[in-house]
Amino acid sequence: MADTTHTAHFNRARGADESPVKRFFRATEIDTRLLGMVGAMLIIWIGFDMLSGGLFLTPRNLWNLSVQTASIAVMATGMVLVIVTRNIDLSVGSILGFVGMIMGVLQAEMLPHVLGFNHPATWVITLLAGLLLGASIGALHGMIIAFLNVPSFIVTLGGLLVWRGATWFVTSGRTVAPMDATFRLMGGGTAGSIGATASWVVGVIACVAIVVSILHSRRQRKRFGFPLRPVWAEYFLSLVGCALVLGAIAIVNSYPWPTNIARRYAEANGIAWPEGGLFIAHGIAVPVLIAIVIGIIMTFISTRLRFGRYVFAIGGNPEAAELAGIKTRWVTVRIFALMGMLCAVAAAISTARLNAATNAQGELDELYTIAAAVIGGTSLAGGTGTIAGAMLGALVMQSLQSGMVLLGIDSPLQRIVVGVVLVTAVWLDTVYRARAK
């Protein structure tokens, strides 16, 4: 009892000595690095909006930005686990291109001879084949790294060259198109969006999930005797989370279908064309939903499953993890196999969005994926990283690229800017880690 009283007195004394800002962050447990990245992204958005004459922060551009971010965000979630274990994967862009080409050939040239065009099973077979191929390539890389002790940098650099060359040999450099109609929904567009009503339903479900998650976390802390956040902090986090979700839904629902597409839809469905035009909202794009679902799954894997704990244990101290009985080699194989599967998902999104499989598909995506993970707080020294941070990093990277395209900046200068941002992010991570020690 005396110890409890002394601890409570010490916490009150410490709280009295802290500034209001420090007390706020300690109570809400908000990740200051993540908050800093959000602030940097807002500065980027506002800056590009001012330079573009108000074109950047429009519903149309923000909707397109979310779709363009999806494939990189999906791969960045896997890159976090790779980098956390002190490895690297330079082959993700080439795997995306190779798997995308295989999926393109399957649905455009092979399956139609067996099932016919636009058969309901075409997209399912294509996606399953892509996932199996991606996982096999990743597992092959992982086995070479784990059992032959070849550094991941060399293995995946070789993979970058091998799979990029293999992409060309599949069709001798020929572009494959078009894709299956159902498969194309994974790329977004007017058909590949869920509409206003379904988007609001998703938003409400997300808000309920946020509140339930916070309540569950509080119940678990109380059960195991961990410190509880103040009640006002729980309300604050719930309100901010729900406001962000509903605000994003409002933005995507304010972007209408193009007039010509809406007119054809009205004619096909016998809808009278009103004088002011017909407003049909895009809503959330399918690839964005896919990226969000994968982000949730990967967060669950990395924070709730034994596999995730093994990954961070290996990244923190590989020797200690080995001595603790963790089969580090097989964990490495599974990490790279998972990375390959995520490349396949990204390939499906990219191929569906382009409605074609091309040889240039996925070029430089390894740069953007690694940069997204590092900018999102994943340390190249291993042991540290978050899925949410990597996805936010992907959004920052795509915001830079989209803004520069909007301003008409040449591609070489865009690459210079991306390179400078990546080096700066690594430097800031080094400074942060040095101060933390």
Side-chain angles (χ1 to χ4, degrees):
M1 182 68 181
D3 290 341
T4 304
T5 305
H6 180 268
T7 302
H9 175 73
F10 174 76
N11 289 336
R12 284 195 299 270
R14 185 179 65 172
D17 293 337
E18 289 179 339
S19 66
V21 175
K22 286 185 177 180
R23 287 201 301 270
F24 171 80
F25 282 115
R26 184 166 59 82
T28 56
E29 299 178 359
I30 295 175
D31 187 345
T32 53
R33 293 184 70 183
L34 202 63
L35 187 64
M37 190 161 47
V38 171
M41 185 180 70
L42 291 177
I43 292 172
I44 291 171
W45 284 10
I46 294 171
F48 278 131
D49 191 61
M50 294 174 63
L51 293 173
S52 64
L55 295 177
F56 190 87
L57 291 178
T58 58
R60 175 182 179 179
N61 189 64
L62 293 177
W63 189 89
N64 287 326
L65 177 62
S66 68
V67 174
Q68 293 161 2
T69 304
S71 61
I72 297 296
V74 167
M75 291 192 293
T77 62
M79 189 62 72
V80 170
L81 303 187
V82 172
I83 296 178
V84 160
T85 54
R86 307 184 185 185
N87 289 300
I88 199 73
D89 194 340
L90 301 176
S91 65
V92 292
S94 296
I95 295 175
L96 184 154
F98 179 68
V99 174
M101 183 61 75
I102 295 296
M103 288 194 293
V105 170
L106 266 177
Q107 62 188 300
E109 298 180 359
M110 296 179 67
L111 290 177
H113 293 295
V114 179
L115 302 175
F117 286 98
N118 291 326
H119 190 276
T122 297
W123 75 274
V124 178
I125 297 173
T126 300
L127 186 58
L128 290 177
L131 291 172
L132 181 60
L133 178 61
S136 300
I137 293 172
L140 174 63
H141 290 177
M143 292 183 73
I144 296 173
I145 294 166
F147 292 99
L148 300 184
N149 296 321
V150 182
S152 61
F153 181 90
I154 299 301
V155 173
T156 57
L157 178 60
L160 181 152
L161 300 173
V162 168
W163 303 117
R164 182 59 61 190
T167 303
W168 190 90
F169 277 110
V170 172
T171 59
S172 299
R174 180 169 46 87
T175 295
V176 178
M179 300 296 102
D180 176 75
T182 306
F183 184 86
R184 288 201 302 268
L185 298 180
M186 289 187 285
T190 52
S193 304
I194 63 174
T197 302
S199 296
W200 284 120
V201 171
V202 170
V204 171
I205 293 173
C207 289
V208 172
I210 289 171
V211 174
V212 170
S213 175
I214 290 175
L215 291 175
H216 176 72
S217 175
R218 186 176 183 86
R219 196 178 303 115
Q220 290 295 98
R221 288 175 175 224
K222 189 174 182 181
R223 176 185 174 188
F224 293 104
F226 293 158
L228 300 177
R229 282 191 293 248
V231 176
W232 67 264
E234 307 279 15
Y235 280 113
F236 174 81
L237 293 173
S238 300
L239 289 174
V240 169
C242 293
L244 290 174
V245 169
L246 297 179
I249 299 298
I251 291 172
V252 297
N253 280 345
S254 60
Y255 175 41
W257 284 12
T259 302
N260 292 336
I261 296 178
R263 189 184 294 275
R264 288 198 297 269
Y265 175 82
E267 292 173 355
N269 291 274
I271 301 174
W273 187 258
E275 185 177 347
L278 187 64
F279 185 96
I280 304 176
H282 277 80
I284 304 173
V286 172
V288 176
L289 277 178
I290 293 173
I292 292 172
V293 170
I294 287 180
I296 294 171
I297 293 172
M298 290 297 291
T299 300
F300 179 79
I301 289 173
S302 62
T303 60
R304 300 293 181 182
L305 295 185
R306 184 183 302 172
F307 172 71
R309 292 195 292 272
Y310 286 171
V311 169
F312 282 88
I314 293 171
N317 192 325
E319 292 78 12
E322 185 80 37
L323 292 172
I326 298 175
K327 297 179 180 179
T328 56
R329 291 183 176 182
W330 284 110
V331 171
T332 300
V333 173
R334 290 164 64 189
I335 290 170
F336 278 90
L338 181 59
M339 183 74 252
M341 290 184 67
L342 293 173
C343 289
V345 175
I349 293 173
S350 176
T351 305
R353 183 164 172 264
L354 293 173
N355 192 25
T358 69
N359 284 277
Q361 200 171 340
E363 284 188 354
L364 293 181
D365 276 9
E366 55 276 345
L367 167 65
Y368 292 106
T369 304
I370 295 170
V374 173
I375 290 173
T378 305
S379 175
L380 291 172
T384 304
T386 63
I387 302 300
M391 298 186 75
L392 187 56
L395 184 57
V396 170
M397 293 298 300
Q398 189 58 50
S399 297
L400 284 171
Q401 188 176 11
S402 177
M404 289 187 288
V405 169
L406 203 60
L407 296 178
I409 296 175
D410 294 335
S411 179
L413 184 55
Q414 293 180 30
R415 296 182 182 182
I416 291 173
V417 172
V418 171
V420 170
V421 169
L422 177 58
V423 173
T424 304
V426 174
W427 172 69
L428 290 174
D429 175 69
T430 303
V431 172
Y432 178 83
R433 289 174 65 85
R435 289 184 177 180
K437 291 180 180 179

